[in-house]
Every structure is written in structure tokens, then in C-alpha cells.
Amino acid sequence: MNIHEYQAKAVLKSFGVPVSKGVPVVKAEEAEAAARQLPGPLWVVKSQIHAGGRGKGKFKEAKAGDKGGVRLAKSVDEVKEFAEQMLGSTLVTIQTGPAGKQVNRLYIEDGSDISRELYLSALVDRTTSRVSFVASTEGGMDIEEVAHKTPEKLHTISVDPATGIMPHHGRALAEALDLQGDLAKSAAKLLGQLFTAFVSTDMEMLEINPLIVTKSGELRCLDAKVSFDNNALFRHPDIAELRDETEEDAKEIEASKYDLNYITLDGTIGCMVNGAGLAMATMDIIKLYGEAPANFLDVGGGATKEKVTAAFKIITADPNVKGILVNIFGGIMRCDVIAEGVIAAVKDVGLQVPLVVRLEGTNVELGKKIIRDSGLNVIPADDLDDAAQKVVAAVKAAKG
Ligand code: ADP
Ligand code: MG
């Protein structure tokens, strides 16, 4: 689960991490009031969307100008002006895709006097089973380019979970960031705070870019991107509350309500399958015959008719879906339950695209009979190969 910058900063602050003062707002008038609470003389108006690259992003609307999604304001009036322009506008960054994301919230932050911009991130390294930090002196808005062109400027510091942060990690970080004296000590302290925050809230990823050295010689986190391990969210109800569903894929949210394992993909064939292994095989064979899956969907072992109906509706609601393949191996799952779920969904929302159904296993004859008797325009298939070819052919024919 991803959260906004202002939320990430609040989480980090609770672990003692140095961040700037700021106020999240959803209206331009609030932005003005927020700016008055901050000392000035510099303010920063920051778009809050679940995507990075905001500073170099561009708004689609002309009113928001082409100055990007993070703007420095020199007066309270300017804060208000920028807020009016940015709120409700659509920001396109390298991470949003061409459709961009609507900015519904801003973070009004105290402006910092920046002397240096550094980079520091942490992630769970699956090969070493440890938390690894990545540090670089080349922080700021071009870190992707640094990673690409001069990877030797990124330094990795891996932390053994049995020992946690040791003094040598702090020294390694100070060296990687080229910090001396008090700043080196601050870096070591920050590393400990970030590690504690990371582990105790079950973060998956933490990125501070930039971590700055201020003109007065302090370290401060000026940007924060955090994501949490969904499988551990049950342990952190306070963090689960930070979820902003408007930033997430609506289909995935709907699917999670029904406990369906659903992921949106960018192909044309909607898949309804039981079991992750069969779902992967189904996606593979669709690719083999020249089309791509529009989603991964595992309805699970003991799905009810309601769950199947919900799953089918999620698939049909996706405008990218040009054909549907239902591929069920009835073990614990019964083929008649699948058939009833599909029919209930079609009765509710109709069926605009070709539907290929391949059923096998428990109650298969009953399942097939239910579909035959329903009068639905279903293309039946006998095995997976046959099913994949039929749905690909139907989609290709519809495309013309
Ligand atoms: P993004 O990474 O999405 O572009 P950042 O929060 O990193 O957004 O902001 C982009 C740039 O804006 C930073 O690299 C920094 O130079 C500047 N900036 C961000 N916040 C502040 C602040 N509080 N004071 C001064 N400059 C800031
Ligand atoms: Mg940044």
C-alpha cells in the first residue's frame, strides 16, 4: 500500500526523523491559511499524488502552467495562486503514465534553504533477506538517470536483521554521502531512526529524495515516498487508515472487498480462473496465441456464487476487455457454482464481448447444462488450448 508524502512524513516524524513543517490542504483558501501558519519567507506547494517525479511533471491544463507539480512560492498570495491552479488539475509525470493523475490535495510546506541534495532509500532485498539502504550524493530529481548512467555513485548498505544498525553502518552512510563531523553523526542517527521506522511499520520501500543538507548545516528529509507490505497491514490499523482509495485502481479495490486475487493488466482478454497456477497458465497460453490478458484473477478455491458474480462484473466493467475467458478446474470449486455466478452477472450487466467458457472437474456436466439452458451466447471449449484459441480468434474477429 502506498501513502502520500505528507502522511509518510508524519509517520517518519513519529520516529524522530527530521522533516519540515507542513499542512495538507484540499482547498485554495485552506492553502492560504496554512501558509500563514508557517514562518516563510519561502513556501512550497506540493501536489499529493501517489507518483514520483512531480517536480518535473507537467499539468494538462494550461491554467496550472508548465512549472510542475512542486512549486516554490515567495508569498502567501503566491501560495494561494498556485494552489488554485494546481487543485483539480491533472499532473502527468514519468510515473503516472500519459493519463496523469488529478491533484486533489496539496501539501503546503515550509521552504528550506538547500545546500546539498542527497539520496537515501531502503527496501527489502529478497536475495539477501535483509533491509538494504541505497545512498548517493547525487540526490534530487534525476536519480533514475544517475542509476542508469553512473551506477557506481549508488552505495548499498545491507543490515543484518540479527544485529540491526551498528556503528559501522552509520560510518558507511556518512562516507557514501560525503558528510563529516556533526553531519556524519546526524546521518548515523537518521539511519537508526529510518531502520526502526522501516522494520516496526513493515515498510516495503522507503525513499527520501532529496535528503538535504540545509545552509545551516542540518540534515532534513525533503521528500518521502513510502509503501507498506499489504500482508502485514493487519498488524498496523493506524497505517491501514492512511489508505487513499481514490489513488488506487477501482477494480482492484472492488476485488479486494470480495477477497478476490485480482490485478489489472494491459491486455484485451479478461480472465476468470481458479487457482494462481492455472491463472498463470491461462495468461501464458493467451500470449502464446497472440493476445494479452487484461487481468490476473484467481477466484480462489471455495468461491460462492456472489463472489463469482462480483468477479465477472469487475471484468466486464473494464473497457479494455474485448473478450472473456472463463477457465475453471472444479476441485473444491464446483463448476455449477461458476456457471450460476456467470449467468447472474450477465443478467445484471449484460454481455458486450465474446465469452469462452471452459469447465472441467466437479459437477462439470451440471455446469455446462446450466450455461446451455440459460440461452447465453457462450462459446464452449473443451480444453485450455481450444479455449485460448477460440477467445483469441473471437477478439481478433471483433477488432476486424
Ligand atoms: P518529486 O520527487 O515528486 O519531484 P520532491 O518533493 O522531491 O518531489 O520535490 C522536488 C524538488 O523540489 C526537490 O528536489 C527540491 O529541490 C524542491 N523542494 C521540495 N520540497 C522543498 C522544500 N520544502 N523547500 C525547498 N525546496 C523543496
Ligand atoms: Mg523527490
Side-chain angles (χ1 to χ4, degrees):
M1 182 186 84
N2 295 319
I3 58 174
H4 290 293
E5 173 198 2
Y6 78 94
Q7 297 170 318
K9 284 179 170 168
V11 171
L12 293 177
K13 193 174 173 202
S14 71
F15 288 89
V17 173
V19 294
S20 302
K21 283 206 176 80
V23 186
V25 302
V26 292
K27 289 191 191 127
E29 304 81 67
E30 289 174 11
E32 188 180 352
R36 290 196 196 285
Q37 291 172 43
L38 299 170
L42 188 65
W43 294 265
V44 188
V45 183
K46 309 186 79 172
S47 309
Q48 299 297 292
I49 54 170
H50 284 188
R54 296 162 302 168
K56 290 204 163 171
K58 289 226 172 354
F59 282 101
K60 286 193 163 172
E61 294 80 359
K63 69 167 168 124
D66 55 0
K67 297 276 169 45
V70 173
R71 291 187 69 179
L72 300 181
K74 296 215 170 61
S75 67
V76 172
D77 283 345
E78 244 182 13
V79 169
K80 187 169 180 226
E81 183 191 328
F82 295 164
E84 272 164 0
Q85 293 168 353
M86 285 154 87
L87 282 169
S89 300
T90 303
L91 182 60
V92 182
T93 81
I94 43 164
Q95 292 186 10
T96 60
K101 281 199 161 179
Q102 192 179 49
V103 176
N104 299 317
R105 196 183 301 266
L106 300 171
Y107 193 42
I108 311 300
E109 194 173 58
D110 187 25
S112 290
D113 260 343
I114 304 174
S115 158
R116 292 176 61 200
E117 297 203 354
L118 312 170
Y119 177 88
L120 183 60
S121 65
L123 49 84
V124 180
D125 182 344
R126 292 181 198 282
T127 38
T128 58
S129 306
R130 293 175 172 195
V131 173
S132 281
F133 285 86
V134 176
S136 177
T137 52
E138 311 301 305
M141 294 190 272
D142 292 314
I143 192 69
E144 281 83 7
E145 211 173 301
V146 175
H148 193 64
K149 289 193 181 144
T150 47
E152 69 279 5
K153 290 190 173 160
L154 299 177
H155 302 271
T156 303
I157 299 167
S158 169
V159 184
D160 186 335
T163 65
I165 294 285
M166 304 283 281
H168 71 87
H169 292 122
R171 289 195 293 275
L173 178 65
E175 191 175 301
L177 297 178
D178 193 18
L179 299 171
Q180 287 83 30
D182 284 349
L183 275 169
K185 282 189 203 142
S186 305
K189 185 173 166 197
L190 175 67
L191 189 66
Q193 291 166 331
L194 293 177
F195 183 76
T196 307
F198 193 98
V199 173
S200 52
T201 62
D202 289 303
M203 287 181 191
E204 203 166 57
M205 200 268 310
L206 160 67
E207 187 182 56
I208 296 168
N209 185 30
L211 167 69
I212 60 157
V213 179
T214 62
K215 293 232 167 91
S216 53
E218 283 158 10
L219 277 184
R220 194 176 299 154
C221 299
L222 222 57
D223 188 9
K225 213 169 160 214
V226 169
S227 68
F228 298 95
D229 182 346
N230 282 358
N231 294 317
L233 273 181
F234 73 97
R235 300 205 287 207
H236 309 287
D238 50 333
I239 284 172
E241 269 184 25
L242 302 178
R243 184 167 206 159
D244 181 354
E245 293 195 337
T246 63
E247 290 284 328
E248 297 179 15
D249 186 305
K251 298 189 290 300
E252 289 180 13
I253 293 168
E254 182 68 12
S256 72
K257 284 188 200 149
Y258 290 91
D259 212 16
L260 296 160
N261 297 306
Y262 175 93
I263 295 164
T264 301
L265 301 170
D266 48 19
T268 54
I269 296 181
C271 307
M272 185 155 92
V273 189
N274 65 325
L278 188 58
M280 288 199 285
T282 306
M283 299 193 307
D284 277 350
I285 200 159
I286 286 170
K287 280 246 169 190
L288 182 70
Y289 286 110
E291 282 290 329
N295 66 282
F296 169 94
L297 171 61
D298 168 13
V299 292
T304 58
K305 180 182 150 192
E306 287 69 35
K307 208 164 151 177
V308 172
T309 308
F312 200 80
K313 282 186 185 169
I314 291 167
I315 294 175
T316 48
D318 181 351
N320 294 327
V321 168
K322 305 293 180 232
I324 299 172
L325 173 53
V326 175
N327 181 29
I328 298 294
F329 182 77
I332 303 168
M333 182 85 237
R334 289 168 14 220
C335 293
D336 54 317
V337 171
I338 290 286
E340 281 177 356
V342 169
I343 288 163
V346 172
K347 271 195 188 132
D348 256 22
V349 294
L351 183 64
Q352 313 295 336
V353 297
L355 167 65
V356 175
V357 177
R358 181 254 177 158
L359 299 174
E360 196 52 83
T362 310
N363 288 2
V364 59
E365 287 314 324
L366 181 57
K368 285 182 174 170
K369 182 176 177 324
I370 290 171
I371 288 183
R372 264 197 317 272
D373 294 350
S374 72
L376 271 190
N377 185 16
V378 171
I379 307 169
D382 291 323
D383 58 39
L384 183 47
D385 205 50
D386 182 40
Q389 290 187 52
K390 280 178 173 158
V391 74
V392 168
V395 166
K396 288 203 163 135
K399 277 185 188 168

